[in-house]
Amino acid sequence: MEAGSVRFVRCGMTLLAAGVALWSLRYWAALSGGYPLIDPDIQRVIHHVPVQALTHMLVGPIALAAGPFQFIPGLRARRPRLHRWTGRVYIVACLIAGAGALATAPYASGGPFAGLGFGLLAVSWITANIGGWRAALAGNFAAHRIWMRFSYAMTFGAVTLRLQIPIGMIFLGFHSYSQMSPWLAYTSWIPNVIAVALYTALTGSTLSARPHPA
Ligand code: HEM
């Protein structure tokens, strides 16, 4: 991809991620018993497993909003300390939100098949973040880059899931989020992971070391 199109994709990704993260702020009201514009099926999940679900729903948006800045090459080169600190916040948020997601998945509003999809996503998400963190600590920045691309492909599933909901309702005849969620638990993230795998293969990224800001 040309530099201009990469910048365009990154800009769109950042705006969508910020929008979904801001919209998720309404879940803070659940801590004091309010559920503004929150789907009744999701409310039931929160009642069932409040600590797990709210840990996930309140911490996940931090990772979603922080992630895009890590992919700006200029920022990485000019502000390496900022990259490292934002990276720590991102990974810790993913691990906490991922543990919350894994514990919430068995109670997913869409039933066991949805729960299985979200559970697989949570395990893959946690694995990519641990892989990326370990690679950075070991100084293998080529591997770090690839792990983190996969990590954010999954984080961004929070956006693709929400974009697919209106499509499913308008064009495919679904009537509610929970009716659609056995599909969304897979379609929200597997295409993102495939896109990153193709991008990585086509741009010739390998696990061999490439220079990275100290
Ligand atoms: C990538 C791994 C993720 C997994 C495995 C996961 C899993 C889940 C599960 C199981 C639910 C309950 C849904 C249901 O009952 O059907 C849920 C809901 C939710 N998740 Fe995630 N999630 C992930 C990422 C994120 C991220 C990055 C955010 C950031 C915005 C997020 C925010 C939410 C919110 C706000 C809800 C409440 C439902 C809604 O508003 O649509 N999740 N997630």
Side-chain angles (χ1 to χ4, degrees), residues 124-172:
S124 313
W125 201 31
I126 292 169
T127 306
N129 282 293
I130 294 176
W133 198 338
R134 283 169 56 103
L137 289 179
N140 185 349
F141 295 110
H144 169 68
R145 257 187 216 109
I146 294 174
W147 278 117
M148 297 320 292
R149 269 182 209 162
F150 280 108
S151 161
Y152 200 68
M154 292 184 257
T155 308
F156 200 71
V159 173
T160 36
L161 180 143
R162 284 156 187 83
L163 291 177
Q164 287 173 10
I165 294 172
I167 296 174
M169 293 204 176
I170 295 168
F171 298 109
L172 303 174

Side-chain angles (χ1 to χ4, degrees), residues 17 20-27 37-39 41-42 45-46 53 56-65 94 97-98 100-111 114-115 117-126 151-159 161-162 165 177-178 181-182 185 189:
V20 169
L22 285 173
W23 179 236
S24 304
L25 286 176
R26 71 196 193 287
Y27 282 89
L37 298 174
I38 294 177
D39 184 294
D41 293 325
I42 299 291
V45 175
I46 297 174
H56 171 70
M57 291 163 192
L58 300 180
V59 178
I62 298 173
L64 186 63
C94 287
L102 190 58
T104 306
Y107 308 93
S109 58
F118 284 127
L120 285 173
L121 169 59
V123 171
S124 313
W125 201 31
I126 292 169
S151 161
Y152 200 68
M154 292 184 257
T155 308
F156 200 71
V159 173
L161 180 143
R162 284 156 187 83
I165 294 172
Y177 162 77
S178 48
S181 107
W189 62 282

Side-chain angles (χ1 to χ4, degrees), residues 186-211:
Y186 301 86
T187 58
S188 62
W189 62 282
I190 292 175
N192 299 2
V193 167
I194 293 174
V196 162
L198 287 175
Y199 174 79
T200 303
L202 292 174
T203 54
S205 293
T206 65
L207 293 183
S208 63
R210 253 166 69 188

